[in-house]
Amino acid sequence: MQILSLLIEADFWAATLRLTTPLLLAALGGVFSERAGINNMGLDGAMLMGAFFGYIGALFTQNAFLGFVCAAISGALIMLLLGFMSINVKVNQIVTALGTNMLALGVTSTAFRMIFGNDLAQLTSPGLVPVNFGSLSKIPFLGKVLFGQTPIVYLAIILVPISHYIMYNTHWGLKIRATGEHPKAVDTVGIDVYKVRYVSLIISGILCGLGGAAVTLTGINTFYDNITAGRGFIAVAAVVFGKWSPVGASLATLLFGAGEAFQLRLQGLGFDIPYAYFYMLPYIVTMISLIFFMGPSKGPAATGQPYIKSGSKAKRKKVSRAGLKPEVKS
Amino acid sequence: MSEIILEMKGVRKEFPGLVANDNVNLQVKKGEIHVLLGENGAGKSTLMNILYGLYAADGGEVIFKGNVIHDNTPKKAIGMGVGMVHQHFMLIPALTVVENMILGMQEGPNPVINKKEAANKILELGKKFGLKVDPYAKVWQLSVGEQQRVEILKALFRGAELLILDEPTAVLTPQETQELFTLLRGLTKQGLTIIFITHKLNEVMEISDRITILQRGKVVGTVNTKDTNKQDLARMMVGRDVVLSVDKAPANPGAKVLEVKDLEVKNDKNLVAVNKLSFEIRAGEIFGIAGVDGNGQSELVEALTGLRVVESGEVIYNNENVTNKPPRYLIEKGMAHIPEDRHLRGLVLNMSVKENMVLEDFYREPFTVNHFMKFDKIDAYSKELIKEYDIRLSSDDIPVGNLSGGNQQKVVLARMLQRNPNLLIVMHPTRGLDVGAIEFIHKRIIRARDNGSAVLLISTELEEVLTLSDRIGVIYEGQLMGIVNQKDANTNELGLMMAGSHKAS
C-alpha cells in the first residue's frame, strides 16, 4: 500500500517528468533518423557526447545555456560521422552505430581523465535551475509537477507537438517519411536522398546531445564514465514502442521515465534489497513492455538499407552480389 | 503532328562488361505514341533512364523542345516536362495519394504542405483526363491498375508533356490493358506525347503510331506502324526469323500425381494468400495457372514445395499426404521445382556452375561417398548436362552468376529435368529471357510432359500459359476462378477471370 501511495504523490510525478526528459529528447531524435531510413542504434553515443560536452561547456563558460549548445554540437558531430559511415560508405548501420557508441564512451572517458586527472572530486558546473512561475507553483499537486521544472523539460515537451507538426504537415516531414519508405521513389521526383538523411541525422544528433546534457546539467552538474547508462537504447525501444511517431515515442518514454522515478522512490523506502535491483527496474519495464504490448512491428520499409543510386559504374559489381541488380533491362 | 519534341543523338551508355546503349538515335514527334521495342536487355529502359536523368550518358546528346540538355537530373527532366511511369512503381505505399503527389513539389519558402489544394488539383486533372482516384486513399490500399493511374496522374500533376511508360501492361489484365490504351489515346488528343516501352508485339501493333526497334543496345530502325507487321517486327527485334508458336502433341494424361484439397496458406503479412484452393494434375499433362502477379501464386508454389507452412487443407502427392513435409523429403520423392526467382532460390550465384548442378543431390552417391565429395563425378556429370542443354560458357568453374540470364535458367532447368521428376513445378520459366532461350525452354518443358512428368506451370504471361498448358486454371486473390481446357480457352474469358469473375458455367 505504501508503495502504491507513491504513485499519487506530486514528487513522484515531478521526478517522472524530469527523468523522462533525456529519454524524450533522444527518442524524438530517433524518430527523425529512423523515419529517414537510418536504423539508429547510435542514440546512446550521441547522448553520452552531449552529457560530457554539455558539462565541459558549462564548466568552462560558467554558463549552463552554453553548455547545452556544446552538447547539441557534439551530438550532431558524432551523428555526422555515423551518417558518413552509413550513407556514403554504406557500412552496415548496426555495426556503425556500435562503433560510434564505443567511440563516444572512449572519447568522453579519456577526455575526462585528461582534463581532471584521477581526482574524482572534480568541479561542479553551473546547471539549469527550475523556472520561477511565481504563484503558479503554489497550486497543489500541479504546481509541483508542472511549474517547478527546469527549462529543458519545457523545451522537450514543446518539441513533441512541434515534431509532430513538422513530420505530418510540412514538406520537410513528408520528405523524411518518404525517404525512409522508398528512397528510390524519392530520387525519381528529384529529391536528394543523401541530403534528407544527413539533415535528419543532424536533427537527431542535436536532440540526443540535448538529451545527454539534460542528464548532467539538471542537478548533479557533473560527469562520470558512461553516465547515460544505456538511456539511448531505452530511447530506441521507445521509438519502436511508439510506432515511429513523435507522440507515440514520447508517451513510451513517459512510461520508462515513470519506471525510473518509481525505482528511486523505492530505494528511499529502505527495503532490505540491494539497490542494484531497483536500478534494473526501468530496463525491466522496457523489456516487459516490448514483450507484452508489441506485436511484430513494422517500421519504415527502407530503414537500415543504404541507398545505392543505380547506373553508377563503380557500385554495380558490389550491388549485384547482394542480389539487388540495378535494372539494366529492356 | 510533325513537330519533333525529343531528339536523342548518338547516345552511349556502358556498364561494366556491357554496352547498354551504343550510338542510339531517336526522334519522337509531338502528339504521337512512340513504341520502343526490344528484347530484355536491349537497352530500352537504360535509354529512358538517361532521358529522365537517372543515369548519366557516357556520350551523345539529348534535345528536348529544341534545347540541348546538359547534366540531366530527374529534377531537371521533370521541370522540362518529362514524366516517367517506371515498371516498378515509384509510389510510397505507406503514404496517401495526395502525399505522393506533393512529394518534391510544394517546395516553396512556406514549409507547410497544402493537401487540400493538391487534392483539388488531382480531382481536376482526373476529370480532364478521365482518371478517377481518391486523393486521400493510402497507396497500398489501391489495386495495381489504380496505382498505375496514380503514377500517370503524378506525372501529369508535375506538368508532363512527354510521358514515358516502362512496360506498363506487365501487371495488367487484358481488360485493364484496354482501359489503359483508351486513356493513352485520350492523352495524345490533349497534346501529350507518349513513349511506350514494351516487348509484346500485339500491343505494339495496337497502340503505336511509330516504332523504334532496339537490339543489343543499337537501333535497328524506326518504322511507321501502318507499314509493318508482327513477323517483320519480331525479325528486327531478334535478328532472325522466329517461330511464334509452339508445336505440341495432344496430352496423354495418366495417373493422378498431385492433388490439392482446400489449401489455405498465409503470406508474410499473415493474411490469407491461398484460399481454399483445389486442383489435381495427372502424369503427362501440363496444368497452367494464369493470373496477375501477387494473387497467391508464390505462396501456392512455396506451400507445395515445402517452403511455406500450410494452414489447412491437404497436399496429396503420389497417393501420400505430404502436407507440410520438408523440401528434401519432397525432392527425394521426385519433385522438381524451377523457382520464380532463379537468383534467390534457383542458384547460388557465387558458386561455380558445376557445384550448382548438384545442389539437390550433392550429399548422395555417386557425388558423395562416406561424407567425401567426389569431384570427378560431379565434374563429369556437369559436363554432360552443359552439352545436353547447350549452356554457353567459357568454363564450368566460373561462378554461375557470370552467365547470362538465359544460360542461368538453363542450368536450373538441366538440374531439375535430369532428375526425371514425376512432378515438375515451374514458375515464370522465361521471365527476362530472350526469344531464343524461351523457345528452348518451352520445348524442354513439353518434352518433360511427353516423358510422363506432371507439370504445374505458373506464369503471369497469359500467352505462355495459353500455348503450353493442356488445362488452365485462373487464380485471383488466392482462389481458382475456374479451370478450362486449352482448346476451349480464349483470352477474353481468361482475362475476365484474372480480374475476379468466376468462370461462366
Side-chain angles (χ1 to χ4, degrees):
Chain A
M1 270 303 92
Q2 197 188 356
I3 295 175
L4 288 181
S5 70
L6 283 178
L7 296 178
I8 54 164
E9 277 177 23
D11 277 343
F12 166 74
W13 287 103
T16 295
L17 272 192
R18 180 166 51 80
L19 293 165
T20 298
T21 299
L23 296 173
L24 174 53
L25 287 164
L28 286 177
V31 169
F32 273 96
S33 53
E34 293 250 344
R35 278 291 185 150
I38 304 284
N39 190 344
N40 201 340
M41 301 296 289
L43 301 179
D44 199 55
M47 280 186 88
L48 193 55
M49 294 288 277
F52 176 71
F53 286 100
Y55 162 69
I56 292 290
L59 185 66
F60 284 99
T61 61
Q62 285 299 308
N63 181 326
F65 173 74
L66 289 178
F68 273 92
V69 173
C70 294
I73 293 170
S74 63
L77 282 178
I78 197 156
M79 280 300 176
L80 270 181
L81 176 66
L82 188 141
F84 178 72
M85 295 303 286
S86 52
I87 297 170
N88 293 92
V89 189
K90 305 182 202 328
V91 182
N92 179 305
Q93 293 174 8
I94 306 280
V95 174
T96 307
L98 269 178
T100 53
N101 286 339
M102 299 307 285
L103 179 71
L105 184 58
V107 165
T108 54
S109 305
T110 308
F112 183 63
R113 278 179 186 68
M114 282 164 61
I115 297 169
F116 299 103
N118 283 327
D119 178 14
L120 291 176
Q122 80 274 13
L123 305 161
T124 51
S125 72
L128 293 178
V129 289
V131 180
N132 184 2
F133 282 97
S135 57
L136 278 178
S137 57
K138 300 279 188 313
I139 304 171
F141 192 78
L142 284 184
K144 203 158 198 174
V145 178
L146 292 180
F147 300 109
Q149 304 281 5
T150 53
I152 190 74
V153 176
Y154 301 113
L155 177 70
I157 292 169
I158 292 167
L159 279 175
V160 178
I162 291 180
S163 301
H164 178 86
Y165 192 79
I166 288 177
M167 208 50 110
Y168 296 104
N169 292 292
T170 68
H171 67 72
W172 301 321
L174 181 59
K175 274 189 271 195
I176 290 173
R177 284 185 291 141
T179 304
E181 291 284 346
H182 194 340
K184 179 144 195 201
V186 171
D187 196 11
T188 57
V189 293
I191 296 168
D192 187 341
V193 174
Y194 289 5
K195 190 170 146 195
V196 174
R197 289 194 164 169
Y198 266 114
V199 170
S200 306
L201 269 182
I202 289 170
I203 293 171
S204 181
I206 290 170
L207 291 171
C208 289
L210 293 177
V215 176
T216 44
L217 296 183
T218 52
I220 59 171
N221 302 337
T222 184
F223 181 85
Y224 51 83
D225 287 354
N226 195 20
I227 190 168
T228 53
R231 281 185 179 81
F233 293 105
I234 294 186
V236 172
V239 173
V240 178
F241 195 38
K243 302 211 187 286
W244 291 269
S245 89
V247 174
S250 307
L251 291 175
T253 56
L254 192 63
L255 177 67
F256 302 137
E260 187 150 357
F262 190 57
Q263 70 92 2
L264 284 175
R265 302 284 121 175
L266 284 183
Q267 284 190 47
L269 291 181
F271 287 110
D272 189 20
I273 304 173
Y275 70 95
Y277 285 96
F278 297 116
Y279 266 148
M280 290 179 199
L281 196 67
Y283 304 92
I284 291 172
V285 170
T286 309
M287 299 295 272
I288 291 178
S289 55
L290 285 176
I291 292 167
F292 286 102
F293 299 108
M294 286 295 298
S297 50
K298 200 180 152 290
T303 270
Q305 299 167 9
Y307 180 59
I308 300 163
K309 229 174 141 68
S310 54
S312 52
K313 282 185 188 176
K315 304 281 160 46
R316 188 163 178 270
K317 194 168 176 203
K318 216 170 163 186
V319 176
S320 62
R321 281 195 157 227
L324 297 155
K325 263 194 184 146
E327 292 127 64
V328 195
K329 52 175 172 46
S330 75
Chain B
M1 270 295 274
S2 59
E3 186 195 338
I4 286 172
I5 188 168
L6 169 76
E7 191 166 11
M8 298 179 86
K9 276 191 201 161
V11 172
R12 186 178 176 83
K13 175 74 186 172
E14 280 179 46
F15 292 107
L18 165 80
V19 182
N21 284 154
D22 184 8
N23 192 25
V24 171
N25 295 304
L26 173 72
Q27 276 192 345
V28 179
K29 292 179 189 167
K30 188 168 165 49
E32 72 171 345
I33 298 183
H34 194 112
V35 161
L36 276 186
L37 179 68
E39 294 190 85
N40 286 299
K44 308 183 297 276
S45 292
T46 305
L47 187 67
M48 289 302 104
N49 280 330
I50 289 170
L51 173 58
Y52 192 65
L54 280 171
Y55 294 171
D58 297 326
E61 59 184 10
V62 179
I63 302 159
F64 186 69
K65 291 199 282 185
N67 303 314
V68 181
I69 299 153
H70 302 283
D71 300 325
N72 201 7
T73 62
K75 199 166 196 159
K76 223 180 214 178
I78 294 165
M80 292 184 311
V82 178
M84 182 155 174
V85 176
H86 297 260
Q87 189 177 7
H88 304 284
F89 297 150
M90 290 299 158
L91 295 171
I92 295 138
L95 302 185
T96 61
V97 171
V98 71
E99 284 175 322
N100 271 286
M101 295 285 168
I102 293 171
L103 188 63
M105 285 298 286
Q106 297 185 355
E107 295 274 84
N110 175 11
V112 181
I113 49 183
N114 191 340
K115 289 186 194 171
K116 191 141 190 221
E117 186 194 301
N120 286 336
K121 197 172 161 194
I122 292 168
L123 293 174
E124 200 178 290
L125 279 171
K127 215 179 260 169
K128 187 173 163 195
F129 295 108
L131 280 158
K132 256 203 208 145
V133 172
D134 171 13
Y136 294 106
K138 296 243 159 126
V139 166
W140 64 264
Q141 296 169 322
L142 303 178
S143 74
V144 177
E146 286 173 311
Q147 289 187 20
Q148 189 171 60
R149 265 174 268 157
V150 174
E151 275 279 36
I152 294 172
L153 256 182
K154 195 169 117 187
L156 298 174
F157 191 87
R158 286 160 164 70
E161 293 169 50
L162 172 69
L163 189 61
I164 307 162
L165 296 145
D166 190 353
E167 307 243 1
T169 57
V171 290
L172 302 181
T173 63
Q175 281 78 6
E176 283 175 322
T177 302
Q178 285 310 318
E179 281 170 31
L180 175 71
F181 285 178
T182 310
L183 169 68
L184 295 184
R185 286 195 199 98
L187 292 178
T188 52
K189 285 211 184 79
Q190 311 247 13
L192 259 84
T193 311
I194 289 166
I195 298 181
F196 192 102
I197 302 180
T198 187
H199 62 258
K200 296 183 184 168
L201 295 170
N202 292 333
E203 291 174 1
V204 178
M205 296 307 293
E206 191 177 343
I207 189 73
S208 65
D209 297 312
R210 292 197 307 150
I211 306 157
T212 295
I213 301 107
L214 283 171
Q215 193 198 117
R216 294 174 194 217
K218 289 187 185 139
V219 172
V220 181
T222 300
V223 293
N224 290 319
T225 309
K226 59 178 190 293
D227 304 333
T228 188
N229 61 50
K230 282 199 326 199
Q231 257 321 320
D232 286 349
L233 287 175
R235 192 179 321 114
M236 287 170 88
M237 195 163 115
V238 187
R240 62 179 169 83
D241 280 311
V242 183
V243 187
L244 290 172
S245 64
V246 184
D247 283 334
K248 192 175 96 183
N252 186 14
K256 201 191 293 176
V257 175
L258 181 76
E259 186 177 6
V260 175
K261 280 191 209 158
D262 292 329
L263 191 72
E264 197 174 309
V265 184
K266 287 186 172 173
N267 63 12
D268 292 338
K269 291 177 187 157
N270 211 24
L271 304 170
V272 174
V274 176
N275 192 359
K276 301 266 178 263
L277 197 102
S278 303
F279 63 87
E280 57 175 60
I281 312 178
R282 293 174 178 275
E285 71 163 351
I286 299 179
F287 180 61
I289 294 185
V292 177
D293 219 359
N295 273 295
Q297 294 100 321
S298 309
E299 289 82 3
L300 171 64
V301 168
E302 285 171 359
L304 295 181
T305 51
L307 295 165
R308 186 177 284 272
V309 176
V310 173
E311 297 290 325
S312 67
E314 281 180 351
V315 181
I316 316 269
Y317 173 36
N318 279 343
N319 302 318
E320 184 190 344
N321 186 345
V322 294
T323 315
N324 287 329
K325 291 277 192 227
R328 184 175 275 184
Y329 182 87
L330 299 169
I331 290 168
E332 287 178 353
K333 289 270 167 200
M335 181 188 284
H337 171 211
I338 297 180
E340 63 176 313
D341 184 341
R342 55 182 166 267
H343 290 168
L344 191 68
R345 289 252 166 92
L347 298 164
V348 184
L349 291 179
N350 289 334
M351 276 166 50
S352 72
V353 174
K354 63 181 176 197
E355 285 167 326
N356 271 284
M357 284 291 190
V358 291
L359 277 187
E360 272 83 17
D361 293 312
F362 68 92
Y363 61 95
R364 292 202 287 195
E365 288 188 24
F367 305 126
T368 294
V369 180
N370 298 330
H371 302 285
F372 285 96
M373 293 184 79
K374 299 292 170 196
F375 286 102
D376 51 337
K377 292 274 184 340
I378 294 173
D379 201 48
Y381 180 73
S382 150
K383 286 223 161 51
E384 187 190 315
L385 289 186
I386 288 169
K387 197 162 159 233
E388 157 92 23
Y389 286 85
D390 189 26
I391 299 165
R392 314 266 169 89
L393 37 65
S394 50
S395 143
D396 58 0
D397 279 323
I398 57 169
V400 76
N402 289 10
L403 304 187
S404 73
N407 282 311
Q408 287 180 3
Q409 190 71 333
K410 282 185 187 173
V411 172
V412 180
L413 190 79
R415 201 172 89 208
M416 296 302 174
L417 294 186
Q418 203 59 23
R419 312 180 69 248
N420 284 324
N422 46 31
L423 174 62
L424 177 64
I425 298 178
V426 188
M427 193 160 185
H428 305 319
T430 55
R431 188 177 261 184
L433 304 187
D434 61 59
V435 177
I438 291 174
E439 244 181 312
F440 181 89
I441 284 167
H442 282 174
K443 274 186 196 154
R444 288 294 175 146
I445 291 174
I446 290 170
R447 194 189 292 177
R449 178 202 76 166
D450 293 343
N451 290 340
S453 298
V455 181
L456 173 62
L457 167 72
I458 296 179
S459 174
T460 49
E461 297 276 344
L462 190 52
E463 278 295 319
E464 182 164 62
V465 178
L466 267 174
T467 48
L468 289 183
S469 314
D470 300 311
R471 288 187 303 131
I472 300 162
V474 178
I475 194 170
Y476 174 75
E477 293 192 343
Q479 290 179 307
L480 274 189
M481 292 289 113
I483 295 173
V484 291
N485 288 319
Q486 185 194 23
K487 58 182 192 311
D488 310 325
N490 69 68
T491 316
N492 192 42
E493 187 189 6
L494 291 178
L496 287 172
M497 282 155 74
M498 283 162 75
S501 51
H502 284 274
K503 183 190 166 195
S505 44

